[in-house]
């Protein structure tokens, strides 16, 4: 447009939170481009741009594309036996980064490094002095798309570097000054580095947050490339490539729990304000949840209702005000869920009872004697049972439903799954 500066295509991920669902569905490897773009509310052009951004940072052996008829399906692949490194950490490390920001940050770090090398006492530099530095020699052309920065932009970059532990900040008479922070990884012995690398490998496989382990290991290997690392003490076969996608959300929630702060987020298209209590990992379902206290109604003043939220569905998570007093918690209400399992022979009945007892040992089972087992469960969230109940279809039926309308939800999900394969049955 006339009078406006044209912006080139940015290969960096501008908003990692909005790309989480795209990467998650891509990793499943069963959705074609047109369906996924429609499901995420994007245009096909946005889909192609996001896929191009992923291809910039992930190695080619972690990407694959297959065709089914005239439809192309993109997906990610990983082999935990071959490598436990999660390449998505690279995309997370440079989220929201632009060419101008990368150039300015590197120049600032170089200025601090040169100043520390020339000054024995490593004195502090204030923001006014930093603004007077010429980041580019005068006899060379200024790089394309790089502009001079303002005082506020410089302050934001310096604050980010301070928060990341790269700089130290000092305040005198209301003015800030900075210098390089000491390198906590310097001076380690070979034995200490090998031990630390082995500990990091163990940590990133079992911890709730995987991202810090990847970054710390990369920093150590860059700083000490010749130090060998022993065998990894453990490795999980089914560790998914999408495990790091929720790390930014988990980190924000963990900070709010420690600082006793409320959070605002978007959940299933609704704005939610809640007080986080703890992070919960359901190893059977392979999901992570937030236990939080929410308001009974939007207009309510107090937080009184405890509820579980799926971490992968939480978006736009941001800290809110500090909670000053301990609130009374009303535990989630338990309710009965009645199911009917059908069988044709006594052997099938015994196998059904075994599978039910294995997953729900407290279930009340009644054999009606007509090829039907009536099962009653006391549950808080019946949706957590859906992955398990799908394995019994079509020999299971919901007799008395709960508030989540599990019966209709199961029917809708199965019809949608069959429709993806071109099958359009009429389910009872």
């Amino acid at each position: 447009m006339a009078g406006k500066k044209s912006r080139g295509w940015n290969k960096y991920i501008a908003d990692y939170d909005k790309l989480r669902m795209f990467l998650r569905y891509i990793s499943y490897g069963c959705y074609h481009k047109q369906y996924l773009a429609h499901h995420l509310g994007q245009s096909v052009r946005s889909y192609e741009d996001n896929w191009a951004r992923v291809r910039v940072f992930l190695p080619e052996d972690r990407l694959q594309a297959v065709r089914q008829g005239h439809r192309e399906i993109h997906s990610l692949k990983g082999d935990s036996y071959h490598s436990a490194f999660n390449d998505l950490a690279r995309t997370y490390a440079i989220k929201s980064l632009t060419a101008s920001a990368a150039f300015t940050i590197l120049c600032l770090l170089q200025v601090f490094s040169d100043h520390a090398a020339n000054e024995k006492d490593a004195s502090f530099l204030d923001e006014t002095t930093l603004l007077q530095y010429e980041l580019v020699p005068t006899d060379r052309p200024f790089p394309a798309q790089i502009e001079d920065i303002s005082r506020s932009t410089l302050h934001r970059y310096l604050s980010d570097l301070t928060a990341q532990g790269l700089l130290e900040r000092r305040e005198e008479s209301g003015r800030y000054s900075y210098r390089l922070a000491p390198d906590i990884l310097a001076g380690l012995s070979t034995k200490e580095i090998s031990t630390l690398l082995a500990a990091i490998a163990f940590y990133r496989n079992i911890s709730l947050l995987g991202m810090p382990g990847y970054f710390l290991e990369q920093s150590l290997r860059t700083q000490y490339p010749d130090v060998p690392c022993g065998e990894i003490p453990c490795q999980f076969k089914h560790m998914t490539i999408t495990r790091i996608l929720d790390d930014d959300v988990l980190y924000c929630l963990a900070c709010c729990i420690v600082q006793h702060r409320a959070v605002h987020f978007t959940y299933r298209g609704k704005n939610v304000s809640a007080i986080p209590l703890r992070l919960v990992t359901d190893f059977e379902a392979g999901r992570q949840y937030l236990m939080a206290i929410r308001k009974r109604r939007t207009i309510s003043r107090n937080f009184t209702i405890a509820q579980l939220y799926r971490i992968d569905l939480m978006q736009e998570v941001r800290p809110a005000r500090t909670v000053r007093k301990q609130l009374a918690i009303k535990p989630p209400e338990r309710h009965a869920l009645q199911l009917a399992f059908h069988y044709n022979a006594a052997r099938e009945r015994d196998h059904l009872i075994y599978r039910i007892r294995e997953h729900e040992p407290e279930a009340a089972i009644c054999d009606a004697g007509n090829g039907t087992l009536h099962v009653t469960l006391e549950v808080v969230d019946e949706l957590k049972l859906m992955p398990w109940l799908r394995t019994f279809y079509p020999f299971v039926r919901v007799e008395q439903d709960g508030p989540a309308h599990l019966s209709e939800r199961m029917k809708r999900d199965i019809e949608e799954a069959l429709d993806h394969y071109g099958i359009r049955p009429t389910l009872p």
Side-chain angles (χ1 to χ4, degrees):
M1 296 176 62
K4 289 188 177 182
K5 184 185 298 184
S6 60
R7 298 181 60 185
W9 180 77
N10 183 16
K11 68 178 182 180
Y12 298 102
I13 297 174
D15 192 337
Y16 197 83
D17 189 57
K18 293 182 179 179
L19 202 65
R20 285 169 57 215
M21 294 306 297
F22 172 82
L23 288 172
R24 196 181 307 278
Y25 281 111
I26 282 290
S27 67
Y28 296 155
C30 59
Y31 298 103
H32 58 83
K33 177 170 56 178
Q34 288 76 13
Y35 171 82
L36 190 54
H38 175 74
H39 184 72
L40 297 176
Q42 300 177 344
S43 65
V44 175
R45 176 61 182 272
S46 297
Y47 173 96
E48 294 174 347
D49 287 345
N50 287 332
W51 179 245
R53 291 185 179 97
V54 173
R55 296 194 62 177
V56 169
F57 304 108
L58 296 187
E60 288 295 329
D61 61 349
R62 290 293 183 264
L63 307 172
Q64 66 180 6
V66 297
R67 297 193 68 87
Q68 292 186 357
H70 65 282
R71 294 173 175 173
E72 185 175 21
I73 299 177
H74 296 131
S75 63
L76 309 176
K77 59 181 179 180
D79 184 1
S80 58
Y81 286 125
H82 173 70
S83 173
F85 185 80
N86 195 327
D87 294 290
L88 290 178
R90 301 177 184 177
T91 66
Y92 181 88
I94 53 180
K95 67 170 185 176
S96 304
L97 191 65
T98 61
S100 59
F103 174 81
T104 305
I105 290 174
L106 290 175
C107 288
L108 286 173
L109 291 176
Q110 185 175 6
V111 168
F112 283 109
S113 179
D114 292 342
H115 181 72
N118 297 329
E119 297 286 341
K120 295 182 179 181
D121 58 350
S123 59
F124 287 80
L125 292 174
D126 58 33
E127 295 180 2
T128 303
T129 304
L130 289 171
L131 284 172
Q132 296 174 355
Y133 272 86
E134 293 184 359
L135 301 184
V136 180
T138 56
D139 59 342
R140 297 182 184 179
F142 213 72
Q145 297 183 351
I146 302 298
E147 298 179 355
D148 197 8
I149 61 176
S150 63
R151 182 68 173 265
S152 60
T153 303
L154 174 65
H155 179 76
R156 185 175 72 252
Y157 289 151
L158 293 173
S159 298
D160 292 341
L161 293 174
T162 303
Q164 295 169 14
L166 297 176
L167 299 180
E168 287 183 350
R169 181 164 66 183
R170 182 181 64 183
E171 182 180 2
E172 292 182 352
S173 302
R175 305 179 69 177
Y176 294 117
S177 56
Y178 306 82
R179 71 177 179 184
L180 279 182
D183 187 1
I184 61 175
L185 301 179
L188 296 176
S189 65
T190 301
K191 183 179 180 180
E192 290 173 335
I193 299 170
S194 299
T195 304
L196 189 55
L197 287 173
I200 293 171
F202 179 81
Y203 163 82
R204 73 181 184 194
N205 277 329
I206 67 172
S207 67
L208 190 67
L209 293 174
M211 171 262 295
Y214 292 105
F215 293 163
L216 180 55
E217 181 188 23
Q218 187 177 15
S219 300
L220 281 172
R221 292 189 181 276
T222 301
Q223 193 164 347
Y224 302 96
D226 299 328
V227 176
C229 178
E231 295 183 359
I232 298 177
C234 67
Q235 194 172 41
F236 289 89
K237 177 181 177 182
H238 299 296
M239 186 182 69
T240 61
I241 198 172
T242 59
R243 181 166 174 260
I244 201 174
L245 290 178
D246 302 323
D247 273 2
D248 53 342
V249 175
L250 288 170
Y251 179 74
C252 180
L253 294 175
C255 292
C256 289
I257 292 174
V258 172
Q259 300 170 2
H260 302 286
R261 303 183 64 177
V263 293
H264 296 311
F265 56 90
T266 303
Y267 191 78
R268 298 186 185 274
K270 297 181 179 180
N271 295 325
V272 179
S273 296
I275 300 175
L277 298 179
R278 63 179 180 269
L279 300 172
V280 181
T281 300
D282 187 339
F283 292 97
E284 291 184 353
R287 288 176 178 167
Q288 294 172 316
Y289 296 85
L290 169 69
M291 171 64 75
I293 313 174
R294 64 171 177 83
K295 298 178 180 180
R296 180 176 292 275
R297 297 180 180 87
T298 306
I299 60 176
S300 301
R301 299 183 58 184
N302 298 324
F303 298 84
T304 56
I305 307 298
Q307 183 171 339
L308 282 174
Y309 295 95
R310 280 175 50 179
I311 298 293
D312 58 314
L313 297 180
M314 297 175 62
Q315 293 183 318
E316 302 178 9
V317 180
R318 59 192 185 277
R321 62 180 177 85
T322 302
V323 180
R324 300 186 181 276
K325 62 179 180 179
Q326 183 67 31
L327 302 175
I329 304 174
K330 182 179 180 180
E333 297 180 358
R334 301 179 66 87
H335 54 273
L337 177 65
Q338 295 183 3
L339 305 170
F341 294 84
H342 302 283
Y343 63 89
N344 296 320
R347 186 174 181 179
E348 294 182 8
R349 179 197 61 193
D350 295 340
H351 184 61
L352 275 175
I353 294 177
Y354 172 79
R355 290 187 59 189
I356 294 171
R357 289 295 186 199
E358 183 182 33
H359 193 274
E360 298 292 334
E362 298 181 358
I365 303 177
C366 178
D367 189 354
N370 57 352
T372 303
L373 290 176
H374 297 282
V375 179
T376 303
L377 303 174
E378 292 289 332
V379 297
V380 176
D381 181 12
E382 60 267 36
L383 291 180
K384 293 178 60 178
L385 298 176
M386 284 191 61
W388 175 64
L389 292 177
R390 288 194 188 104
T391 63
F392 294 96
Y393 189 83
F395 303 106
V396 62
R397 184 182 76 254
V398 179
E399 292 186 310
Q400 180 177 332
D401 214 336
H405 305 290
L406 184 62
S407 179
E408 289 297 324
R409 179 71 175 267
M410 289 182 60
K411 178 181 177 181
R412 184 171 64 251
D413 288 353
I414 293 172
E415 288 178 341
E416 181 182 357
L418 294 176
D419 186 63
H420 291 333
Y421 291 95
I423 305 174
R424 295 176 175 82
T426 302
L427 299 180

